[in-house]
Amino acid sequence: MFVRISSIALAVLLVSGCANNSPVLGNKNISYGDTKAVETVTNEFGSTDLQMIAESMTRSLAQSGILQGRPVVQVYDVKNKTSEYIDTREITTSIKTQLMKTGAARFASDNTAMDSQVDQLKLQNQSGLYKKSTVAKTGNMIAAKYRLEGSISSIVKRSSDYKDVFYKFSLQLIDVESGLAEWMDEKEIRKTTER
């Protein structure tokens, strides 16, 4: 009898655990989309453009052979030379993430993260709050062999019937010690809208 009741209780728990009792909040007209689908809502810079640039640049740099031995690279934010707002940090982050996934390079703290890195080292070494054997030592950060920097620019042409936007994304890898550009590439995107 006890075994039978336990079996029924277990079955009820399993069935109730599998049911999705989560309510749906918000507008029912909203749905999830494929993040890799081509986005053509407007002819402004969009997610498809960001993905194409990141994939093209990552592939080109990884295949160039310049990143032998997983050198340390410092990534600078891409300069926006267009007339529209573009979150260039997202372009930079996507390129960095994809390069990290290939295992082709290691990355030093960028300019934005460097302040946080220095603050953390000061906190550990000067506050007296941390056990000495666990404190990160100063003077041991690894300097970058290369810096990666780039820009995005655009040319916009309009007529009564069309709007044409031409984007050009340029990226270069520079040897920090010599100042020589060791690799460069660019990706061009054209988007035309009929009015």
Side-chain angles (χ1 to χ4, degrees):
M1 173 85 170
F2 176 73
V3 172
R4 185 170 177 214
I5 293 172
S6 296
S7 297
I8 292 171
L10 181 61
V12 169
L13 282 173
L14 287 174
V15 170
S16 66
C18 294
N20 184 0
N21 296 329
S22 301
V24 176
L25 300 176
N27 189 335
K28 292 182 180 174
N29 294 327
I30 297 172
S31 62
Y32 284 98
D34 180 2
T35 58
K36 294 291 186 183
V38 175
E39 169 263 319
T40 56
V41 177
T42 69
N43 63 359
E44 295 172 339
F45 191 86
S47 62
T48 300
D49 306 318
L50 186 147
Q51 290 168 348
M52 282 194 308
I53 286 170
E55 288 168 9
S56 174
M57 292 295 127
T58 302
R59 183 173 43 255
S60 176
L61 182 53
Q63 292 174 353
S64 71
I66 195 71
L67 298 177
Q68 296 291 329
R70 295 185 65 227
V72 176
V73 177
Q74 187 167 31
V75 181
Y76 285 71
D77 285 343
V78 170
K79 293 179 183 142
N80 183 2
K81 297 180 178 180
T82 70
S83 59
E84 64 185 279
Y85 171 76
I86 297 174
D87 187 351
T88 58
R89 188 136 180 91
E90 284 306 313
I91 300 171
T92 306
T93 300
S94 291
I95 292 169
K96 188 175 174 180
T97 300
Q98 289 186 29
L99 280 172
M100 182 74 82
K101 285 180 178 180
T102 68
R106 295 171 295 157
F107 296 94
S109 294
D110 59 25
N111 290 347
T112 307
M114 183 56 80
D115 289 339
S116 297
Q117 177 71 13
V118 170
D119 288 345
Q120 182 61 31
L121 283 170
K122 284 181 183 176
L123 180 65
Q124 287 189 21
N125 283 280
Q126 297 172 5
S127 68
L129 297 171
Y130 297 94
K131 186 184 237 183
K132 288 287 183 197
S133 63
T134 65
V135 169
K137 308 293 184 269
T138 59
N140 290 324
M141 287 176 39
I142 306 297
K145 178 169 177 47
Y146 298 108
R147 82 175 183 273
L148 189 65
E149 59 187 31
S151 64
I152 185 166
S153 58
S154 66
I155 299 171
V156 179
K157 297 285 185 179
R158 290 181 178 89
S159 72
S160 58
D161 299 328
Y162 293 96
K163 179 181 178 186
D164 182 79
V165 183
F166 174 80
Y167 293 101
K168 181 177 178 183
F169 181 82
S170 302
L171 196 65
Q172 61 182 340
L173 186 73
I174 299 166
D175 185 299
V176 172
E177 187 173 352
S178 68
L180 296 174
E182 296 289 347
W183 169 87
M184 295 176 86
D185 203 350
E186 57 190 26
K187 173 75 177 165
E188 297 173 347
I189 299 170
R190 167 165 264 123
K191 298 171 90 171
T192 305
T193 304
E194 189 173 351
R195 296 179 188 222

